[in-house]
Amino acid sequence: AQSVAQPEDQVNVAEGNPLTVKCTYSVSGNPYLFWYVQYPNRGLQFLLKYITGDNLVKGSYGFEAEFNKSQTSFHLKKPSALVSDSALYFCAVRDGATDSWGKFQFGAGTQVVVTP
Amino acid sequence: GAVVSQHPSWVICKSGTSVKIECRSLDFQATTMFWYRQFPKQSLMLMATSNEGSKATYEQGVEKDKFLINHASLTLSTLTVTSAHPEDSSFYICSARPILADTQYFGPGTRLTVL
């Protein structure tokens, strides 16, 4: 079984400051990890993923995430937040070893609020 | 690239009627599509996984006779909410996984309101 935890319901940050959204996971096999962003009444937009390779993954809109196997974490980061980054962020995990269909387990989501 | 569309974007219907939602991958082929339901300010709940040319696999607690899924081609999956009731009102989102890819790409969602 796989699970994802996003411990913060909401993250508040001032524009220009660093932004971090936390995610920890649990899978029995190989973790495939993803970050998505959702704006109100819209679907999810893909930001980045970790499958294998370098632990630091760079994605869209200046976001990056670091895979930490020992801490089973995949935190999303952005060096300088913009007001337009205000949205709902979802972390997702897939078990790459056992799930051939590619089903995701999503975290509960973290609302990011960036103030001017 | 990797664009997924949904139609309609919103629908209002009377209780007891059926509603069909289409999900299309516009610039890629998808052997697997997924249907999710999302309540306000909550995460996505996977309803079913559909594979082209075969029956959908439903998650525990999802009524297959209530939520009919058809995946007739590599670019189209449909979800039909049969005999809709107010408790079926929700935001329905589909996603599609390109052949041999790891990532799911999501449609913009369909807001269903049952009166």
Side-chain angles (χ1 to χ4, degrees):
Chain A
Q2 56 218 36
S3 65
V4 178
Q6 292 182 242
E8 300 155 317
D9 292 336
Q10 182 164 316
V11 169
N12 298 298
V13 63
E15 188 174 32
N17 283 359
L19 169 63
T20 298
V21 186
K22 296 180 180 178
C23 172
T24 58
Y25 67 90
S26 174
V27 295
S28 54
N30 298 330
Y32 290 9
L33 296 153
F34 304 81
W35 275 103
Y36 290 84
V37 60
Q38 184 181 33
Y39 293 95
N41 296 310
R42 301 297 300 274
L44 276 64
Q45 296 179 30
F46 170 73
L47 284 178
L48 50 80
K49 67 180 178 183
Y50 171 83
I51 305 299
T52 186
D54 290 341
N55 290 341
L56 184 63
V57 178
K58 294 187 182 294
S60 306
Y61 313 119
F63 284 94
E64 59 186 32
E66 185 166 11
F67 171 65
N68 188 316
K69 187 174 182 179
S70 62
Q71 297 185 5
T72 62
S73 67
F74 190 58
H75 301 330
L76 180 70
K77 298 181 181 182
K78 186 171 184 178
S80 178
L82 301 172
V83 173
S84 57
D85 293 328
S86 298
L88 188 57
Y89 290 78
F90 289 102
C91 180
V93 66
R94 173 196 159 191
D95 190 331
T98 63
D99 176 24
S100 60
W101 284 357
K103 289 166 57 175
F104 284 5
Q105 179 67 49
F106 281 92
T110 299
Q111 182 69 47
V112 170
V113 178
V114 182
T115 52
Chain B
V3 179
V4 177
S5 69
Q6 274 183 250
H7 179 78
S9 55
W10 60 270
V11 56
I12 301 173
C13 68
K14 292 182 179 180
S15 184
T17 60
S18 295
V19 175
K20 179 185 284 189
I21 302 170
E22 291 188 349
C23 176
R24 293 182 185 271
S25 55
L26 299 184
D27 51 1
F28 64 95
Q29 293 184 326
T31 51
T32 306
M33 290 185 172
F34 304 86
W35 286 96
Y36 297 86
R37 185 171 178 177
Q38 186 181 32
F39 293 100
K41 297 189 178 182
Q42 293 190 24
S43 189
L44 280 71
M45 181 191 78
L46 179 65
M47 298 174 65
T49 303
S50 74
N51 288 292
E52 184 266 339
S54 62
K55 290 183 179 181
T57 301
Y58 291 81
E59 296 299 301
Q60 191 172 7
V62 178
E63 300 175 58
K64 62 179 67 176
D65 294 329
K66 173 82 174 165
F67 299 99
L68 301 178
I69 292 172
N70 183 274
H71 193 157
S73 76
L74 288 173
T75 60
L76 173 65
S77 176
T78 60
L79 167 67
T80 301
V81 183
T82 62
S83 187
H85 288 93
E87 58 266 29
D88 299 324
S89 298
S90 190
F91 193 54
Y92 292 87
I93 305 176
C94 74
S95 71
R97 185 168 73 96
I99 297 171
L100 299 180
D102 300 304
T103 305
Q104 292 181 30
Y105 296 95
F106 287 79
T110 297
R111 172 75 57 194
L112 170 63
T113 302
V114 185
L115 302 177

